[in-house]
């Protein structure tokens, strides 16, 4: 159901815009202003053929204004008071030397296109209900905020968010989406083909690099602005959320804080581990994949950022200071403390058909801190020096109570996990342009990290002579019997030192071609220690002294020296970049008094091809071959606990795997037809893949990595279509993923397949004076065929959201999701829904806002999901916070 404020007859005005030599002009702007009010009535951006089209109400006088970069604008008076038929009006623009670098405008254009920059006027897409940047972004053509809070443009994730050209918490866009006030935003600039190093812009492929720059309203510059929010509710619920911002040409300072127990988590553990700080691996395009795994002990993860109970404390500071014309320093600090209670019920179906049921209660406490300092020195256009220092530190603890049952066997297990990982990373880039034909670029990175995870599992009430069913690995471990409870413990330490160095030389043959020579080295050294021991009822430790239960000073060294050659050439609409990279790999591991070394030379090809069909339409193909190497966790041969029923034993003789990846992508972004299309096909196959050979004893398993003799294959297809019809934005997207993997059980290889499908369609309105709705439907099918166990899960999710500015002072918002979660046998049939709602009151021109909000209004108890790996498929029932009602007050600075 949609409301429209007028049903008057419309007249379509179309035409073509050319220059004075008869060449069509793509991305020229046409706007229609009403003569009596001088307000914007409609606008159009010309297509690749110079066509424009606008729809205007009959019976009014209009001024059509036409403009394009470097051309003198023109105005045409249009009288539709007596006109009843559609009209055709062409325009010819003349070059103007006084406007070569800009468009002279006396009006606000909702969308402007200038080169690779698309500029959106925020107020043109606002209906008055927006509170933060994310509320505006979801209404912009071609822009989406995904479920993780990250910004995507034309299907590509935004890598950097800036405000007034200054980095805003570099390495993540979620903090900007959730915290920048919407009323401070004047323009949103989407910077396509973005490169932080201007010298390399024309010699590298930057099509996947997208940044966003926020331009502030004039009243927000050189002044402090922000919000202070505080509130409380029943059951001792509270929220305090101050945030302050200051921007001037020389400096900026942003302060964000958030303390609440209503389930709002501004920075999760997942955000922490995925937060890159803007760093990119120096050898990212070399064809080498070295998996430096982070041991998080299988800490429980939030589902949909919900939990049974959540207490959050968060603080962040971001700064930027321009020391002089050539030197700029910036950085940020982030601290987050979350205390989370979780309860979930899980059913696991193992490959042999055995089914385990788990009831798991956990309390998790996370202290997370990270900081970054950056310096940019650019005395002139031909030289740029960047330095970054990135620090991550955390303290994570989790206590759990697990009830496990299978085949009439029941276990009660208490667990404790603790980890205090630390890492410091430094990066230095030097870029020098000798002249227009010779460009040099160097990149140095250094990483130092340390992890000390501790794990404890206590099997309760087993008695003095437990059976092997109740006490996992009782025939393997030298337990001391005669205990009431059996406590198994593990200490582990992993130290990593990694240094990357790379030098690039670019020889510019012509404006359309260049050669790139790369010389680089990746060096990694890791030290691994672990031990397993039993703590008796008396508190005495029973150490397992055998080598198979200990990893003592295991050392692993990896070296990759590579030489690469790429040739980039543009032939008309085609851009080709073939490349070859020659690698010499050296791997050494020392353990149990034995040193093993291997050396290998590989030639790895790469190809990039782009067909620029039109300025805003392209077809792209990429191919790469990658050598995959393991880290010290994979080669350490002593047993290591992954979970109470899962042991891992490394393989010092593991070899590298090789995988090939083929990707075909299509992009179309048309402001003329208001249609955006993104589609991609991706196929990869792995040869000699590093897989685990698993030996099961009921639900207990021991895994050892080996190189598979079979080829694993995955195929995925993604598509997204978006079109704007007047004030309605339609979206449709689909994701398909098929994988065929060969898993290994007791030395025998068997095939496992998974096929997942996700489809979503929605309609979003954006009226100025009427209620606005988003209505949509999402359908998901996950089919898992894991050796002898086959499961299929279905999720149907209709959803509807409401935004309504009432009586100019009240804002009503509501978000409703309904779920139907089933499986192929109808043994699972869970229906549940979520409704969050709020009503806010703020008079025009006042700084105070009063809001009454309700979370989980329907008091839903739990939600569902499912997953798949080589050992089992699982379905999960996850319990969430009950209904909360909070009254809050906000003051706008």
């Amino acid at each position: 159901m949609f409301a429209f404020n007028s049903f008057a007859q419309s007249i379509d005005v179309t035409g073509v815009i050319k220059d004075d030599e008869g060449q069509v002009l793509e991305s020229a702007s046409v706007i229609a202003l009403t003569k009596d009010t001088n307000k914007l009535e409609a606008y159009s951006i010309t297509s690749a053929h110079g066509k424009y089209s606008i729809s205007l109400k009959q019976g009014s006088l209009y001024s059509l204004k036409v403009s394009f970069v470097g051309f003198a604008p023109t105005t045409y008076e249009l009288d539709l008071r007596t006109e009843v038929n559609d009209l055709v009006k062409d325009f010819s623009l003349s070059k103007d030397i006084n406007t070569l670098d800009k468009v002279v405008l006396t009006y606000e254009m909702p969308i402007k296109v200038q080169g690779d920059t698309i500029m959106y006027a925020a107020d043109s897409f606002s209906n008055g209900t927006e509170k933060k940047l994310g509320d505006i972004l979801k209404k912009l053509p071609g822009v989406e905020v995904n479920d993780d809070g990250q910004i995507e443009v034309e299907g590509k994730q935004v890598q950097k968010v800036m405000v007034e050209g200054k980095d805003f918490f570099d390495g993540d866009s979620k903090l900007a989406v959730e915290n920048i006030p919407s009323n401070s935003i004047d323009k949103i600039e989407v910077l396509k083909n973005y490169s932080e190093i201007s010298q390399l812009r024309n010699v590298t492929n930057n099509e996947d690099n997208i940044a966003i720059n926020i331009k502030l309203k004039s009243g927000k510059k050189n002044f402090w602005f922000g919000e202070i929010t505080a509130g409380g509710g029943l059951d001792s619920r509270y929220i305090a959320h101050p945030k302050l911002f200051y921007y001037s040409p020389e400096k900026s300072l942003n302060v964000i804080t958030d303390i609440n127990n209503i389930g709002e988590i501004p920075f999760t553990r997942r955000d922490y581990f995925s937060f890159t700080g803007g760093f990119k691996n120096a050898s990212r395009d070399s064809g080498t994949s070295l998996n430096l795994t982070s041991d998080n002990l299988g800490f429980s993860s939030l589902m949909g950022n919900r939990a049974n109970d959540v207490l959050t404390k968060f603080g962040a500071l971001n700064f930027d200071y321009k020391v002089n014309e050539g030197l700029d320093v910036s950085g940020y600090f982030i601290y987050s403390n979350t205390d989370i209670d979780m309860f979930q019920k899980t059913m696991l179906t193992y490959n042999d058909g055995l089914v385990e049921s788990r009831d798991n209660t956990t309390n998790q406490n996370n202290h997370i801190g990270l900081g970054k300092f950056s310096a940019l020195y650019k005395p002139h256009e031909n030289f740029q020096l960047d330095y970054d220092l990135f620090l991550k530190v955390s303290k994570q603890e989790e206590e759990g109570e697990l009830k496990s049952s299978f085949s009439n066997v029941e276990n009660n297990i208490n667990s404790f996990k603790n980890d205090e990982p630390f890492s410091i990373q430094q990066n230095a880039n030097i870029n020098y342009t000798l002249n227009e034909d010779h460009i040099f670029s160097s990149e140095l990175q250094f990483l130092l990290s340390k992890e000390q995870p501790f794990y404890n599992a206590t099997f309760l009430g087993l008695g003095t002579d437990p059976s092997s069913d109740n006490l996992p690995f009782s025939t393997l471990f030298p337990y001391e019997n005669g205990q009431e409870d059996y406590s198994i413990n593990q200490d582990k330490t992993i130290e990593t030192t990694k240094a990357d160095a790379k030098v690039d030389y670019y020889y510019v043959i012509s404006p359309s071609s260049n050669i790139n020579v790369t010389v680089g080295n990746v060096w990694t050294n890791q030290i691994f220690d672990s031990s397993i021991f039993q703590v008796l009822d008396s508190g005495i430790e029973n150490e397992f002294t055998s080598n198979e239960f200990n990893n003592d000073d295991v050392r692993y060294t990896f070296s990759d020296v590579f030489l690469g050659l790429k040739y980039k050439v543009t032939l008309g609409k085609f851009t080709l970049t073939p490349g070859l990279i020659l690698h010499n790999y050296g791997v050494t591991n020392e353990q149990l008094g034995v040193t093993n070394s291997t050396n290998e030379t590989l030639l790895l090809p790469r190809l990039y091809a782009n067909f620029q069909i039109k300025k805003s339409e392209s077809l792209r193909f990429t191919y790469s071959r990658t050598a995959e190497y393991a880290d010290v966790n994979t080669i350490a041969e002593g047993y290591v606990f992954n979970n109470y029923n899962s042991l891992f034993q490394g393989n010092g003789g593991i070899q590298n795997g090789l995988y090939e990846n083929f990707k075909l992508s299509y992009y179309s972004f048309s402001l003329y037809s208001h249609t955006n299309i993104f589609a991609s096909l991706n196929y990869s196959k792995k040869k000699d893949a590093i897989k685990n050979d698993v030996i099961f004893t009921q639900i207990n398993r021991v895994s050892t990595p080996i190189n598979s003799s079979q080829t694993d294959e995955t195929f995925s297809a993604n598509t997204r279509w978006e079109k704007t019809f007047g004030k309605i934005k339609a979206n449709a997207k689909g994701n398909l993923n098929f994988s065929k993997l060969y898993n290994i059980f007791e030395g025998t290889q068997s095939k496992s397949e998974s096929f997942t499908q996700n489809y979503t369609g929605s309609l979003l309105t954006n009226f100025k004076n009427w209620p606005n709705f988003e209505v949509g439907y999402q359908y998901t099918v996950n089919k898992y065929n894991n050796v002898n166990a086959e499961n299929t899960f279905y999720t149907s999710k209709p959803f509807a959201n409401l935004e309504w500015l009432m009586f100019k002072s009240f804002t009503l918002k509501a978000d409703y999701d309904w779920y139907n979660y089933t499986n192929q046998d109808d043994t699972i049939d869970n229906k549940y829904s979520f409704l969050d709602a709020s009503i806010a009151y703020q008079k025009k021109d006042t700084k105070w806002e009063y809001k009454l909000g309700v979370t989980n209004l329907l008091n839903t108890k739990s939600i569902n999901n499912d997953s798949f790996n080589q050992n089992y498929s699982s379905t999960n029932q996850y319990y969430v916070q009950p209904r909360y009602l909070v009254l809050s007050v906000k003051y706008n600075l």
Side-chain angles (χ1 to χ4, degrees):
M1 297 178 293
F2 300 99
F4 297 87
N5 62 352
S6 175
F7 296 93
Q9 182 178 349
S10 296
I11 293 177
D12 291 333
V13 181
T14 60
V16 176
I17 300 175
K18 302 179 180 180
D19 63 14
D20 48 13
E21 296 179 355
Q23 299 295 316
V24 297
L25 297 177
E26 182 181 0
S27 300
S29 302
V30 182
I31 70 165
L33 303 176
T34 56
K35 286 288 291 182
D36 53 347
T37 65
N38 204 38
K39 289 185 177 180
L40 178 67
E41 179 69 20
Y43 72 92
S44 179
I45 306 293
T46 57
S47 70
H49 303 291
K51 294 181 179 179
Y52 76 91
S53 176
I54 55 177
S55 183
L56 300 172
K57 298 175 187 175
Q58 183 186 18
S60 298
L61 287 169
Y62 298 95
S63 290
L64 295 187
K65 296 183 180 291
V66 184
S67 57
F68 188 68
V69 177
F71 289 76
T74 186
T75 301
Y76 176 76
E77 304 299 325
L78 183 63
D79 188 349
L80 298 184
R81 288 174 296 185
T82 59
E83 191 67 51
V84 295
N85 298 318
D86 293 341
L87 298 176
V88 176
K89 175 60 182 176
D90 297 333
F91 292 92
S92 177
L93 300 183
S94 300
K95 289 185 179 180
D96 186 346
I97 60 173
N98 297 316
T99 60
L100 289 179
D101 298 322
K102 61 182 183 289
V103 178
V104 177
L105 299 175
T106 58
Y107 48 86
E108 182 72 301
M109 186 70 184
I111 304 177
K112 304 173 192 173
V113 179
Q114 187 168 355
D116 290 329
T117 300
I118 303 174
M119 183 181 293
Y120 300 93
D123 287 344
S124 298
F125 296 91
S126 173
N127 56 43
T129 63
E130 298 80 11
K131 302 298 180 184
K132 56 191 178 183
L133 172 63
D135 295 334
I136 299 177
L137 290 175
K138 70 179 185 180
K139 298 168 184 175
L140 304 182
V143 181
E144 182 182 21
V145 178
N146 64 26
D147 293 339
D148 295 324
Q150 303 296 322
I151 307 171
E152 294 182 357
V153 175
E154 301 175 30
K156 292 170 280 191
Q157 187 163 310
V158 170
Q159 299 176 333
K160 181 185 287 288
V161 176
M162 298 174 286
V163 179
E164 293 292 330
K166 303 180 186 298
D167 289 351
F168 190 89
F169 293 99
D170 191 20
D172 181 83
S173 61
K174 178 181 175 181
L175 289 174
V177 166
E178 297 294 333
N179 289 285
I180 297 178
S182 61
N183 60 7
S184 67
I185 301 171
D186 182 34
K187 304 286 192 305
I188 298 173
E189 295 177 335
V190 174
L191 312 176
K192 302 165 73 173
N193 301 323
Y194 179 76
S195 175
E196 295 185 82
I197 305 169
S198 58
Q199 298 103 306
L200 303 182
R201 179 178 177 84
N202 295 322
V203 295
T204 56
N205 298 314
N206 303 303
E207 284 81 357
D208 289 332
N209 298 342
I210 296 182
I212 281 183
N213 183 45
I214 307 299
K215 305 289 288 185
L216 299 174
K217 294 180 178 178
S218 58
K220 304 299 182 180
K221 302 174 185 177
N222 298 306
F223 293 98
W224 285 96
F225 67 93
E227 303 170 350
I228 299 177
T229 302
L234 302 176
D235 301 320
S236 301
R237 299 297 160 182
Y238 58 84
I239 180 173
H241 187 23
K243 46 189 177 182
L244 301 173
F245 308 89
Y246 179 83
Y247 282 90
S248 73
E250 295 79 23
K251 55 183 175 290
S252 69
L253 186 65
N254 309 296
V255 181
I256 303 171
T257 59
D258 194 343
I259 302 174
N260 74 82
N261 64 352
I262 62 174
E264 296 182 359
I265 308 176
F267 199 77
T268 65
R269 285 184 66 255
R270 179 177 179 179
D271 295 330
Y272 171 79
F273 282 106
S274 63
F275 207 97
T276 64
F279 276 70
K280 292 182 179 179
N281 189 344
S283 57
R284 58 190 173 274
D285 296 325
S286 70
T288 299
S289 173
L290 176 62
N291 296 321
L292 296 180
T293 56
S294 208
D295 191 314
N296 57 16
L297 287 175
F299 278 86
S300 301
S301 300
L302 296 173
M303 188 185 302
N305 285 343
R306 298 180 183 269
N308 208 26
D309 195 25
V310 182
L311 170 63
T312 296
K313 298 176 183 177
F314 173 80
L317 181 144
N318 184 86
F319 69 91
D320 189 291
Y321 179 63
K322 186 176 182 180
V323 180
N324 54 48
E325 286 301 319
L327 178 61
D328 189 277
V329 295
S330 61
Y332 56 78
F333 304 96
I334 297 174
Y335 170 76
S336 178
N337 172 221
T338 55
D339 198 337
I340 304 170
D341 290 332
M342 288 175 275
F343 177 66
Q344 51 193 323
K345 295 183 177 182
T346 305
M347 183 175 68
L348 300 92
T349 304
Y350 292 87
N351 297 337
D352 59 0
L354 192 65
V355 176
E356 179 192 10
S357 296
R358 295 180 181 176
D359 290 355
N360 197 7
T361 301
T362 58
N363 173 260
Q364 187 180 106
N365 186 269
N366 301 300
H367 292 269
I368 293 171
L370 48 83
K372 182 183 179 184
F373 172 80
S374 300
L376 169 62
Y377 178 62
K378 191 172 184 178
H380 50 77
E381 287 298 318
N382 293 334
F383 180 83
Q384 180 173 325
L385 169 64
D386 298 270
Y387 173 77
D388 302 287
L389 175 68
F390 188 46
L391 174 69
K392 298 177 76 171
V393 60
S394 67
K395 180 179 181 180
Q396 307 160 38
E397 292 183 351
E398 180 176 299
E399 296 181 356
E401 296 179 4
L402 173 68
K403 181 179 180 180
S404 168
S405 61
F406 65 94
S407 301
N408 298 319
V409 176
E410 291 191 0
N411 270 332
N412 293 300
I413 307 162
N414 287 350
S415 65
F416 176 73
K417 304 172 183 179
N418 177 73
D419 195 8
E420 298 183 18
F422 164 87
S423 70
I424 184 169
Q425 187 170 357
Q426 297 181 80
N427 179 78
N429 294 334
I430 300 175
N431 299 277
Y432 175 65
T433 301
L434 179 64
N435 53 47
E436 62 182 12
D437 295 333
H438 304 281
I439 302 172
F440 298 87
S441 176
S442 64
E443 187 171 359
L444 304 172
Q445 286 188 358
F446 180 78
L447 168 69
L448 180 65
S449 69
K450 185 176 183 178
E451 298 177 78
Q452 293 179 292
F454 171 78
Y455 176 67
N456 162 262
T458 301
F459 298 83
L460 303 176
L462 297 188
T464 59
D465 188 20
S467 70
S468 58
D469 291 338
N470 293 99
L471 185 59
F473 313 113
S474 59
T475 59
L476 178 65
F477 290 155
Y479 285 110
E480 183 170 323
N481 291 333
Q483 310 299 309
E484 182 63 26
D485 301 327
Y486 286 77
S487 175
I488 191 74
N489 303 266
Q490 176 178 270
D491 276 322
K492 185 161 60 171
T493 302
I494 309 163
E495 298 180 48
T496 300
T497 304
K498 184 172 184 283
D500 292 21
K502 184 181 72 165
V503 176
D504 282 291
Y505 165 66
Y506 297 90
Y507 173 56
V508 180
I509 302 172
S510 69
S512 60
S513 63
N514 66 79
I515 294 175
N516 170 215
V517 179
T518 303
V519 179
N521 176 243
V522 178
W523 179 85
T524 302
N525 180 260
Q526 293 182 290
I527 304 174
F528 185 97
D529 291 275
S530 71
S531 61
I532 299 175
F533 58 95
Q534 177 189 6
V535 175
L536 307 181
D537 290 345
S538 62
I540 299 175
E541 292 186 3
N542 172 29
E543 296 184 1
F544 301 168
T545 57
S546 174
N547 286 336
E548 61 184 327
F549 306 118
N550 296 272
N551 290 289
D552 184 18
D553 198 32
V554 177
R555 294 178 177 265
Y556 177 79
T557 303
F558 172 85
S559 175
D560 172 23
V561 179
F562 57 90
L563 173 66
L565 178 65
K566 294 180 183 178
Y567 174 63
K568 179 182 178 182
V569 60
T570 300
L571 303 170
K573 294 185 177 183
F574 289 91
T575 298
L576 299 174
T577 308
L580 289 172
I581 306 172
L582 181 66
H583 293 263
N584 181 259
Y585 296 104
V587 179
T588 301
N589 78 79
E590 303 175 33
Q591 55 184 319
L592 301 176
V594 178
T595 300
N596 292 311
S597 298
T598 60
N599 190 275
E600 184 176 19
T601 299
L602 292 175
L603 184 64
L604 303 177
R606 307 178 74 82
L607 174 65
Y608 170 94
N610 185 71
F611 175 38
Q612 199 68 38
I613 304 169
K614 300 175 185 175
K615 183 178 180 180
S616 56
E617 184 180 14
S618 64
L619 183 66
R620 189 183 313 162
F621 173 77
T622 59
Y623 165 78
S624 63
R625 181 181 294 171
T626 302
E628 180 184 38
Y629 283 83
D631 70 348
V632 71
N633 292 277
T634 306
I635 62 99
E637 295 183 350
Y639 286 114
V640 175
F641 262 109
N642 288 336
N643 200 0
Y644 75 93
N645 68 335
S646 175
L647 278 177
F648 181 85
Q649 186 177 36
N651 179 359
I654 198 75
Q655 300 297 310
N656 67 282
L658 278 174
Y659 65 88
E660 295 179 284
N661 190 80
F662 306 79
K663 186 175 182 179
L664 182 66
S665 304
Y666 172 78
Y667 303 90
S668 175
F669 184 76
S670 174
L671 292 173
Y672 166 72
S673 62
H674 305 285
T675 303
N676 308 303
I677 301 173
F678 160 72
S680 70
L681 300 174
N682 196 87
Y683 170 75
S684 67
K685 59 179 182 178
K686 285 189 178 184
K687 181 182 178 182
D688 298 323
I690 300 174
K691 309 297 289 288
N692 286 332
D693 185 359
V694 184
I695 298 176
F696 272 96
T697 303
Q698 293 187 324
I699 67 169
N700 307 314
R701 62 188 182 275
V702 178
S703 304
T704 302
I706 65 172
N707 292 103
S708 173
S709 60
Q710 297 287 345
T711 299
D712 288 349
E713 297 176 283
T714 61
F715 172 81
S716 63
N718 301 281
T719 184
R720 183 171 185 262
W721 172 87
E722 174 195 296
K723 187 173 179 64
T724 301
F725 304 89
K727 298 294 185 180
I728 301 175
K729 180 179 177 181
N731 284 284
K733 58 183 178 180
N735 302 290
L736 305 176
N737 191 293
F738 174 78
S739 64
K740 182 173 67 174
L741 310 176
Y742 287 89
N743 300 321
I744 307 165
F745 301 99
E746 300 183 4
T748 302
Q749 291 193 326
S750 57
K751 184 173 66 175
S752 295
E753 294 181 346
S754 72
F755 183 37
T756 62
Q757 307 167 64
N758 183 280
Y759 310 96
T760 304
S762 66
L763 294 172
L764 173 69
T765 69
N766 192 18
F767 299 112
K768 292 285 186 180
N769 302 310
W770 291 85
N772 285 290
F773 298 87
E774 181 182 19
V775 293
Y777 181 77
Q778 184 179 85
Y779 184 66
T780 302
V781 181
N782 295 330
K783 183 177 182 180
Y784 311 124
N785 187 349
N786 218 354
V787 190
N788 298 317
E790 182 174 331
N791 285 294
T792 305
F793 302 96
Y794 307 89
T795 303
S796 299
K797 178 192 169 185
F799 58 90
N801 305 315
L802 166 69
E803 294 179 348
W804 189 3
L805 181 62
M806 304 181 298
F807 312 115
K808 299 182 179 181
S809 299
F810 290 90
T811 300
L812 175 65
K813 290 189 175 184
D815 300 323
Y816 177 74
D817 300 320
W818 185 86
Y819 296 83
N820 184 18
Y821 182 77
T822 61
N823 65 349
Q824 80 276 17
D825 300 323
D826 291 327
T827 56
I828 299 175
D829 188 4
N830 294 336
K831 297 179 178 65
Y832 55 92
S833 56
F834 281 97
L835 174 60
D836 297 337
S838 67
I839 185 166
Y841 173 74
Q842 183 176 17
K843 293 184 65 176
K844 188 177 181 181
D845 300 326
T846 185
K847 295 185 176 182
W848 293 94
E849 179 191 82
Y850 307 90
K851 185 172 77 170
L852 180 64
V854 184
T855 302
N856 192 7
L857 182 61
L858 304 177
N859 209 27
T860 298
K861 303 298 183 183
S862 63
I863 57 181
N864 297 88
N865 78 337
D866 51 77
S867 62
F868 166 86
N869 63 33
Q870 80 170 77
N871 300 314
Y872 55 78
S873 61
S874 66
T875 179
N876 188 54
Q877 185 177 10
Y878 182 89
Y879 287 75
V880 299
Q881 284 183 299
R883 176 173 50 236
Y884 292 141
L885 185 147
V886 175
L887 176 64
S888 61
V889 179
K890 182 174 72 175
Y891 180 74
N892 295 308
L893 299 173

